[in-house]
Amino acid sequence: LQPLMGGQLTWTVNRDFMNGLTDRTVTLSMLTATEKVAGCSEGVGEAITCSFASGVYPECDQVETDTVSKCTSEAWPVTLADQATQCAQEGSDAKQRCFAAEVFGVLCVRQLQPINTGGYKSSFWSHDSQCVHDVNYQVGQLGAQVKVESAEGTPIALTDVAYIGKANQFSIKAIHDIAADNTDNQVRWERQVSKAEVVIGALEHTVTVAPGAVAVVAWLAPRKGFANFQQERGLLLPQCTDYTSGNPTTCSANVAALRRTLTGNTVWPDLTAGGAASGTEVDSYAPSSGPGAYWANFGMGQGADGSRPSCNNDDGCIKPASPSLETFVRLCWDTAAPPAGYAAAFPTLSCNERPINNYFSPQPLAPILVEVAVTPETVGTVGTSSPLDYWTLGSAVDVVAPHPPLLVQSYDYDGHKMSVYPVPDDPPVSGGDPLVGDDPIQPSSLADFRASCFLGGRDGKFHTKPTADGLSQYNNIWPTKRCKSGGSMGEWCVVHDDCGADCSSCCTRPTLGCRDVFDFDRAPENAAGSLLKLNYQWLKAAGQAFGTDFNSLASGVPGKVFMQHVYNTVDHPFEDLDNAAGDDTYVVANPTWDQGAGGASVQTVFSTFPCWAGRNNTPPSFVTSPGSADTRVETSITCDYRSPCLIPLHARDFEVGSGGSAQTLQQVGIEAAIGFDKLTATSLYSADGSACEDQFGVGSISCTLKLDDPAFFDGIKWADEAIGRMYVRCLVAYDKFQDGSEEAISCRSAPLCLKIKIEGTRPYWVEPTPLDANSFDDNGLLVPGRTDVPACEGFPLELTAAARDDNANEGVRIFIEDKFLDPQLYQTGAPNLLRYKSDGGQYNADFFYPLLSNPTTVFEGNAALVDTCGRFSGYGALRVGDNTEQTSIDAVAPDTAANLQTRSVMAGYAGNITGGVQRPQQRVVFNVDAAARNGIASRTTAECNPNPLEGEANCREKLVNMDQVICGIAYDNSRQLYRRWAGVRDPNGNDINAWRRDHSNGDYASDMHCWRVRIAAPPVFVTDPEGESSPFSDAWPGVVDSSGDESAYKHIQLFVNEERSVTFLAQDANPDDSIKILVLEEPGVPLGMQVGRSTCIRRGDAQKMCGASDVIQPEYPNYDWAATQVIGKLSECSRAKLTLTWRPPVEVAGTSFKVCLAARDNSAICYNRGPPKATPEGWFGEELCVVYDVLGPATAWRNATFARPVTSYVGCTNRHRVSAEGRPYNVTIVRSGEWPAQVTM
């Protein structure tokens, strides 16, 4: 078996796995790098085939007999039954699989079934191999001593090949076998790797999962036996003993990145004839608990009851084999075809009760073979370099790491958080420097494993940093903590204050030591990925530092000498996708194989090797732009699916010791890193379209990398199915040698690995959605992302929101909710309203809920609230139109009824929520109604002041409840369509305030937009219980609107020349409005009436008003904003008075005059919104009229009769006495008309 130089094993669970039956599959993808083997094929893209002389692998020679494929029983007694057992159906292909398994190993697969005593047993097993695979799966089944068995107790059939492991007959990705010399071969992409010929291959194997299997474990193993258990190096390269350039054996300078402690016991190679182990296993190093202990306590048995050891050890095959690219896939048993007895014995392991939460393993991005240039700077021979620039933990170590760290990124289609941690992890250091932190996750003995997590910058250097108090700076500190939140989120820290003010718990150690990140993490430092600091010991003797004599291409560079390292990439599945608790428990902190949410682990083995760059040379560096010396190139890239994905690349070659200030004249090129597909003229080209593959720039080069995938890219745009897909491209820059001297020798730069996401389009708001920037807070500051919309009394609010997505194939849904409410209002009856919301302010009710669930608690005994603000019901607004089925923002359906928090990337939408429509509209309908008290109320006689002071009467006063802020988001259904996490990662993270979390959960979401619903009403005339302050008739309590209602008019009787003053009080419901009382031109005022000025009455502590406190801080919206009901809100002019004074002249005695008034506020918010009295200058309120009745004289004759004639005789005097009386004036009798002559009075 060829030693493993590098590799990794990833997996994908069938997206329809939960359907059961034939959909129960897992696809495993293994990448391996080994030394090239003579006699094996070399065609890139072809499956590896080999030709060996007869007898080299005699077991493989015996596979084929005539035209029938057979397998021998090898060390077991050969029986006729064994001879008759078929090995495979494919004829000669069986022999090639045998060769591949013998030379390159086997992708071992064990399906695990639960057992009654707890733990797992294997569905299939072999007694002389680490697993059953397609080369041994029919060996010895019919013999007396069975070697290959099934948990079902029946022989393994030919069709069972889909359930088991597979020979590593990989597809060849690359071959590097051209010797580097002083010709163009020195810069050939196919050049050797540290003088070793290397082949890199990829194997994909889709495993059908048995109905009763609840997990799959996979790893790389020999075809047969347990030889890797017996040797300290395991599957990895042997320990180097020859460090010369002519070293004949490809080897590792470190101890194979393992800490196996050899004892006197031998590792058993096989079973005895009686079935007992012939030796005792030697445990490999592996932590049993604590951070990074993914495989702690893992075990798997075999046999009908699972009691027999698997691989003849209690820990299964994983612990003694590690590192062997091992990975674990947590699954569930098939409820569509349940195995007998499972429902009763293992109900919690069914797909109904323990659904899959992890469909995709993490995908690590770093190369598995890394060339490291040894330069005059790295060996410290130039004045600008210093060993402490790239120091390692512990200043007393003999070899410091003079090179930048290795950037390790990854991606996960489940949308999970990911971490990287070196393997093995030594126990934490105790008694270390307190500045390093408590129990740092670092190796205690760097001689054993030279890889450490580094939370500093990508250059690997220690950059001084001011302390939190600003008085000093940190020196010689290995960064082991980072700010998980605060103003410096993502940066390294020592104390909490380093992260920003008021940050009491921000500075923490990542659980596994390295950065824990989401794809395209919001923290820039996290988004860059994890950094592994490596020590390099390609030396002639352990502990010998690089010296100035390490400078010869012929003799100074060790040949075939590598250093090997291992790291695990784990994901942290969501425990609660929507983060209801709002703390760190929403994701798994320390993933393990048996963790409930199904954490995944991918192991990467990689090798580094040296390249001597010459006495006066260093490789080129990637820079951000032409002419720049900035090497902080963006490595996380998004490309719009509607156009080609083009990525500019720039590399410059600098003079040794210039610090990036002086450029050389050497030729510079760019190529794919080792293990990645060779770049062609169509994938890497210069500005003139020529291929960069064979083109060199003088001192610098600029090329364009074009991402291509024929399955999804048609040359113009990407298919919809590519949305959310990730690609990795790793590149290196190199300078071409100038001559055959030792001054400048071509070496590759550190790899630049790009994580590229094909980005879809986000939904966005369209007309008629109100999006005007017209909303100002109490201090007059414009509130970004918020629009004021009025709810005008008597006229329904209809806020119409509309959205669309430029991708016509995606659905869009809109969800609008009230994010700010007082939890005390909803302690009973409406618990769902409180989910995912923080305290939104005192007395702040939900806009869409019709009732308050505990009004007694709110109002009873709270006179200040009731007397000042009024008593209200809920608002009861309605959603009408598309997506009205959604009533809560957590739209993803739970995977099971038992666990409402677990939601996988394949989950559907909750309830009747659909993926949306192409052009959705949703209307918010709200009819503010004083009778319903749903946002406005009117003070009744029972609620108004019975004995008001002057100007303080408040009967009929309209009270408005708090203005409401509601927010909406438009979502597409990309997660549902493409069945991967497509949108923004971690949309509900703790770094986002609760009200800003969009809960998009894999879909793309629009920007959140908010609307302040401003409840508006016109001014009304207020009075006292007697109807005097403003003049009302006695019928006023039944009057809703006095306009035109004569029953409301007060009649005032007065005498001629009697002066009377009448004061009108008007009040607006909105404390921020200013009002004015006006006398209406029709009918006008009577002659001589004096109309006073409309005068504001300031309302402060004496006449408290209520309203929402609406104030934003400079950091809005990135904090927990709230709107609290203020009891005692100041109002300068929401109340006004006007006095009419009149002394009727005599001319009007006996007549009546009507004078009408109306109040107008200064708000135009309801103009053109329905109310006919709303104008650009303000909203006119009700009209109130008063009737002046001027009393005329009322006279009458007393005891006088004028009906009969009076006879008068000539010469006689006739007297007639009359008497009159009158009210309310004095009476005078005067002549009327013509009197006869001589008549006197």
Side-chain angles (χ1 to χ4, degrees):
L1 179 65
Q2 291 295 300
L4 183 66
M5 301 176 74
Q8 61 187 208
L9 176 56
T10 60
W11 48 262
T12 299
V13 177
N14 187 328
R15 292 166 170 83
D16 294 316
F17 189 95
M18 295 288 287
N19 293 340
L21 304 176
T22 58
D23 290 322
R24 288 175 57 86
T25 61
V26 175
T27 298
L28 301 158
S29 301
M30 185 169 67
L31 180 70
T32 53
T34 64
E35 199 162 7
K36 178 184 171 184
V37 176
C40 293
S41 58
E42 300 182 3
V44 174
E46 299 176 358
I48 190 80
T49 58
C50 300
S51 299
F52 296 106
S54 178
V56 174
Y57 297 112
E59 297 90 345
C60 295
D61 293 336
Q62 298 176 54
V63 165
E64 194 170 60
T65 302
D66 298 327
T67 60
V68 179
S69 298
K70 298 180 181 296
C71 285
T72 66
S73 59
E74 301 168 358
W76 284 71
V78 177
T79 67
L80 293 177
D82 291 330
Q83 293 286 341
T85 302
Q86 287 189 334
C87 177
Q89 293 176 309
E90 295 86 347
S92 62
D93 183 56
K95 186 173 182 179
Q96 281 300 324
R97 290 202 309 274
C98 185
F99 283 148
E102 189 66 38
V103 179
F104 303 109
V106 169
L107 171 55
C108 262
V109 175
R110 281 198 183 226
Q111 301 197 30
L112 304 181
Q113 300 178 9
I115 53 179
N116 289 321
T117 56
Y120 297 119
K121 67 177 180 180
S122 299
S123 298
F124 309 96
W125 64 90
S126 169
H127 290 273
D128 68 346
S129 302
Q130 294 178 32
C131 66
V132 180
H133 49 78
D134 61 351
V135 180
N136 72 355
Y137 75 121
Q138 287 210 312
V139 173
Q141 290 192 81
L142 304 182
Q145 296 175 329
V146 177
K147 298 180 66 180
V148 175
E149 293 185 80
S150 160
E152 308 304 323
T154 57
I156 300 175
L158 290 173
T159 54
D160 287 338
V161 69
Y163 294 88
I164 56 178
K166 187 174 184 178
N168 189 18
Q169 193 175 14
F170 52 76
S171 175
I172 301 172
K173 283 182 61 70
I175 294 178
H176 296 273
D177 60 352
I178 296 178
D181 53 27
N182 290 335
T183 70
D184 283 349
N185 287 339
Q186 193 175 130
V187 292
R188 287 277 297 276
W189 182 75
E190 297 85 358
R191 58 193 179 277
Q192 293 175 348
V193 178
S194 188
K195 301 183 181 180
E197 297 182 347
V198 174
V199 59
I200 300 173
L203 177 72
E204 185 171 286
H205 179 34
T206 296
V207 178
T208 298
V209 180
V214 295
V216 166
V217 63
W219 70 101
L220 180 64
R223 178 184 67 85
K224 176 198 172 191
F226 312 93
N228 54 318
F229 292 9
Q230 302 177 66
Q231 51 198 10
E232 185 179 13
R233 67 179 178 87
L235 295 176
L236 305 184
L237 294 171
Q239 175 71 49
C240 290
T241 58
D242 185 346
Y243 290 86
T244 68
S245 60
N247 170 38
T249 304
T250 302
C251 61
S252 176
N254 59 341
V255 190
L258 286 172
R259 290 193 62 193
R260 295 172 179 268
T261 304
L262 296 179
T263 68
N265 296 324
T266 60
V267 178
W268 50 267
D270 209 338
L271 293 176
T272 64
S278 62
T280 303
E281 174 206 348
V282 177
D283 285 347
S284 63
Y285 172 81
S288 58
S289 62
Y294 182 86
W295 291 99
N297 305 315
F298 175 78
M300 53 182 175
Q302 58 194 31
D305 59 359
S307 62
R308 293 164 54 188
S310 175
C311 295
N312 298 311
N313 67 88
D314 292 333
D315 296 306
C317 302
I318 302 303
K319 191 172 181 180
S322 183
S324 58
L325 312 183
E326 58 266 20
T327 190
F328 182 87
V329 188
R330 200 205 72 168
L331 303 169
C332 50
W333 55 262
D334 190 358
T335 53
Y342 269 49
F346 313 110
T348 59
L349 301 182
S350 73
C351 287
N352 284 339
E353 295 198 30
R354 193 185 74 168
I356 295 174
N357 192 36
N358 212 337
Y359 282 83
F360 304 94
S361 73
Q363 298 286 331
L365 309 186
I368 56 177
L369 293 171
V370 180
E371 180 173 298
V372 179
V374 180
T375 73
E377 289 180 327
T378 65
V379 297
T381 59
V382 296
T384 59
S385 62
S386 165
L388 284 179
D389 279 349
Y390 301 96
W391 72 304
T392 55
L393 180 64
S395 59
V397 297
D398 51 7
V399 178
V400 296
H403 301 278
L406 179 68
L407 173 62
V408 177
Q409 295 194 92
S410 57
Y411 66 83
D412 189 335
Y413 285 145
D414 288 298
H416 293 157
K417 184 168 75 170
M418 295 161 287
S419 293
V420 167
Y421 66 93
V423 179
D425 244 347
D426 278 356
V429 178
S430 59
D433 187 339
L435 291 179
V436 172
D438 300 330
D439 298 332
I441 310 299
Q442 302 290 357
S444 60
S445 174
L446 293 177
D448 293 323
F449 182 67
R450 300 187 183 280
S452 308
C453 291
F454 183 72
L455 298 184
R458 280 169 55 180
D459 62 0
K461 296 184 179 183
F462 175 80
H463 296 280
T464 57
K465 178 178 180 176
T467 56
D469 57 15
L471 301 177
S472 185
Q473 66 182 22
Y474 296 121
N475 293 306
N476 298 337
I477 292 176
W478 182 276
T480 61
K481 296 182 181 180
R482 57 91 176 95
C483 298
K484 70 175 182 180
S485 55
S488 300
M489 185 174 70
E491 297 181 12
W492 68 268
C493 56
V494 175
V495 296
H496 296 309
D497 286 347
D498 290 337
C499 303
D502 301 321
C503 222
S504 60
S505 59
C506 299
C507 184
T508 61
R509 186 182 319 286
T511 306
L512 303 180
C514 290
R515 290 179 172 93
D516 42 9
V517 304
F518 287 91
D519 283 317
F520 299 90
D521 203 290
R522 282 182 293 274
E525 292 295 321
N526 284 350
S530 291
L531 300 172
L532 292 181
K533 288 293 292 289
L534 312 177
N535 272 8
Y536 303 96
Q537 191 176 331
W538 313 289
L539 310 175
K540 298 178 181 179
Q544 177 184 344
F546 288 115
T548 56
D549 61 336
F550 191 68
N551 59 4
S552 170
L553 179 65
S555 59
V557 179
K560 300 186 177 182
V561 173
F562 296 82
M563 290 194 72
Q564 290 198 281
H565 304 279
V566 186
Y567 65 87
N568 274 1
T569 303
V570 294
D571 61 14
H572 301 250
F574 291 108
E575 292 275 24
D576 177 7
L577 180 64
D578 289 293
N579 192 12
D583 57 30
D584 289 334
T585 62
Y586 77 108
V587 294
V588 173
N590 183 25
T592 59
W593 64 274
D594 58 348
Q595 203 282 329
S601 173
V602 170
Q603 187 178 90
T604 300
V605 174
F606 71 99
S607 295
T608 62
F609 60 95
C611 175
W612 170 237
R615 287 186 292 264
N616 191 30
N617 187 40
T618 187
S621 300
F622 286 101
V623 292
T624 56
S625 61
S628 171
D630 187 354
T631 58
R632 294 170 297 178
V633 179
E634 180 59 56
T635 57
S636 296
I637 297 169
T638 58
C639 289
D640 192 318
Y641 85 104
R642 295 168 292 185
S643 58
C645 182
L646 306 177
I647 304 165
L649 299 173
H650 312 284
R652 296 182 68 197
D653 194 52
F654 298 107
E655 296 283 358
V656 172
S658 72
S661 62
Q663 184 174 295
T664 72
L665 296 177
Q666 287 182 275
Q667 291 181 309
V668 177
I670 296 175
E671 66 180 13
I674 303 172
F676 288 81
D677 293 340
K678 183 178 181 180
L679 298 173
T680 64
T682 59
S683 55
L684 188 69
Y685 51 84
S686 59
D688 61 6
S690 59
C692 276
E693 177 188 10
D694 301 317
Q695 181 175 325
F696 297 92
V698 178
S700 65
I701 188 172
S702 293
C703 299
T704 296
L705 176 67
K706 181 178 181 180
L707 183 66
D708 194 12
D709 184 344
F712 298 101
F713 181 63
D714 63 8
I716 300 175
K717 67 182 292 288
W718 294 79
D720 287 2
E721 290 75 14
I723 291 174
R725 288 183 66 86
M726 303 273 197
Y727 294 88
V728 181
R729 296 294 183 266
C730 289
L731 306 105
V732 292
Y734 59 93
D735 49 8
K736 189 177 181 182
F737 66 92
Q738 291 179 316
D739 52 43
S741 72
E742 297 292 338
E743 295 301 318
I745 301 169
S746 180
C747 289
R748 299 174 175 96
S749 68
L752 175 69
C753 288
L754 307 175
K755 177 168 67 174
I756 308 164
K757 180 186 177 186
I758 305 302
E759 198 77 272
T761 54
R762 298 171 60 203
Y764 55 92
W765 301 106
V766 296
E767 290 184 346
T769 311
L771 300 172
D772 299 325
N774 65 0
S775 186
F776 296 85
D777 78 344
D778 292 346
N779 295 324
L781 296 177
L782 180 67
V783 181
R786 195 175 84 179
T787 298
D788 282 358
V789 293
C792 306
E793 183 186 19
F795 297 86
L797 161 74
E798 289 200 12
L799 188 166
T800 300
R804 62 166 295 179
D805 193 305
D806 286 339
N807 188 329
N809 296 320
E810 294 176 353
V812 181
R813 58 185 169 88
I814 295 171
F815 181 66
I816 300 174
E817 69 168 344
D818 187 345
K819 290 182 171 293
F820 311 100
L821 54 86
D822 182 354
Q824 296 301 316
L825 302 181
Y826 302 100
Q827 293 302 302
T828 59
N832 287 347
L833 292 179
L834 305 179
R835 288 194 298 174
Y836 320 117
K837 296 176 184 177
S838 56
D839 189 342
Q842 190 174 32
Y843 306 129
N844 196 342
D846 184 82
F847 190 55
F848 294 98
Y849 198 69
L851 301 171
L852 302 181
S853 62
N854 52 341
T856 301
T857 304
V858 178
F859 296 113
E860 298 305 325
N862 195 341
L865 174 65
V866 174
D867 294 346
T868 307
C869 305
R871 183 190 292 267
F872 290 96
S873 180
Y875 293 89
L878 300 175
R879 303 177 184 90
V880 179
D882 296 309
N883 197 41
T884 56
E885 299 86 353
Q886 184 173 351
T887 58
S888 177
I889 198 168
D890 52 336
V892 180
D895 289 301
T896 70
N899 188 346
L900 297 180
Q901 294 181 327
T902 302
R903 296 169 171 88
S904 75
V905 73
M906 300 301 166
Y909 295 111
N912 295 321
I913 299 174
T914 66
V917 297
Q918 189 172 352
R919 294 175 178 267
Q921 284 196 353
Q922 187 174 107
R923 292 182 297 128
V924 176
V925 178
F926 173 56
N927 190 7
V928 58
D929 183 1
R933 292 180 174 264
N934 65 341
I936 192 167
S938 181
R939 288 191 191 272
T940 64
T941 53
E943 296 171 319
C944 62
N945 189 344
N947 299 297
L949 299 175
E950 182 181 355
E952 295 184 5
N954 61 2
C955 295
R956 300 187 78 248
E957 179 183 7
K958 291 285 180 71
L959 303 170
V960 293
N961 205 344
M962 296 174 60
D963 288 343
Q964 289 293 291
V965 176
I966 58 177
C967 300
I969 302 171
Y971 306 86
D972 68 12
N973 60 341
S974 52
R975 177 186 62 83
Q976 182 188 56
L977 283 178
Y978 313 125
R979 311 190 74 181
R980 68 177 69 92
W981 194 289
V984 172
R985 266 44 173 192
D986 193 28
N988 313 313
N990 293 318
D991 62 306
I992 304 176
N993 298 95
W995 75 278
R996 295 290 296 174
R997 298 171 188 166
D998 63 29
H999 299 261
S1000 52
N1001 298 341
D1003 292 327
Y1004 285 101
S1006 70
D1007 290 332
M1008 178 187 294
H1009 195 82
C1010 296
W1011 297 272
R1012 180 171 61 170
V1013 179
R1014 295 185 59 188
I1015 301 174
V1020 296
F1021 289 101
V1022 294
T1023 191
D1024 55 71
E1026 303 303 322
E1028 298 294 337
S1029 308
S1030 300
F1032 275 91
S1033 72
D1034 292 341
W1036 76 259
V1039 175
V1040 175
D1041 185 344
S1042 62
S1043 300
D1045 186 351
E1046 294 189 2
S1047 69
Y1049 301 167
K1050 191 177 189 72
H1051 285 254
I1052 299 175
Q1053 292 182 336
L1054 71 169
F1055 302 111
V1056 171
N1057 292 324
E1058 177 186 359
E1059 184 175 284
R1060 185 79 63 87
S1061 292
V1062 177
T1063 298
F1064 288 76
L1065 289 177
Q1067 175 69 54
D1068 196 272
N1070 304 100
D1072 296 328
D1073 285 356
S1074 295
I1075 68 169
K1076 180 181 288 187
I1077 301 175
L1078 304 170
V1079 177
L1080 301 184
E1081 293 183 358
E1082 180 60 39
V1085 296
L1087 180 67
M1089 177 172 279
Q1090 296 178 0
V1091 179
R1093 296 179 59 187
S1094 177
T1095 305
C1096 295
I1097 299 177
R1098 189 175 186 269
R1099 298 192 62 173
D1101 291 337
Q1103 298 185 73
K1104 294 179 180 179
M1105 292 191 74
C1106 296
S1109 174
D1110 187 0
V1111 177
I1112 65 170
Q1113 303 300 326
E1115 60 269 26
Y1116 180 90
N1118 299 317
Y1119 66 97
D1120 287 327
W1121 186 84
T1124 293
Q1125 180 78 299
V1126 177
I1127 304 175
K1129 190 165 185 175
L1130 177 66
S1131 178
E1132 294 290 346
C1133 199
S1134 66
R1135 171 167 288 205
K1137 68 178 182 178
L1138 183 146
T1139 301
L1140 300 178
T1141 303
W1142 191 38
R1143 182 191 298 270
V1146 66
E1147 292 84 358
V1148 298
T1151 61
S1152 294
F1153 291 93
K1154 181 170 68 174
V1155 180
C1156 297
L1157 295 88
R1160 185 193 70 196
D1161 64 24
N1162 65 338
S1163 172
I1165 194 170
C1166 289
Y1167 177 57
N1168 283 338
R1169 299 284 183 159
K1173 293 183 180 181
T1175 72
E1177 289 75 32
W1179 192 353
F1180 285 89
E1182 64 181 352
E1183 299 169 5
L1184 178 62
C1185 300
V1186 61
V1187 179
Y1188 290 91
D1189 295 321
V1190 183
L1191 296 176
T1195 59
W1197 299 107
R1198 289 186 61 189
N1199 301 320
T1201 301
F1202 296 95
R1204 63 187 171 90
V1206 176
T1207 303
S1208 177
Y1209 299 97
V1210 175
C1212 295
T1213 300
N1214 189 353
R1215 291 183 175 87
H1216 188 79
R1217 182 178 179 86
V1218 294
S1219 112
E1221 62 182 5
R1223 297 186 183 91
Y1225 303 100
N1226 295 329
V1227 177
T1228 300
I1229 299 174
V1230 296
R1231 294 189 179 204
S1232 175
E1234 293 245 1
W1235 283 28
Q1238 304 302 313
V1239 177
T1240 62
M1241 182 179 68

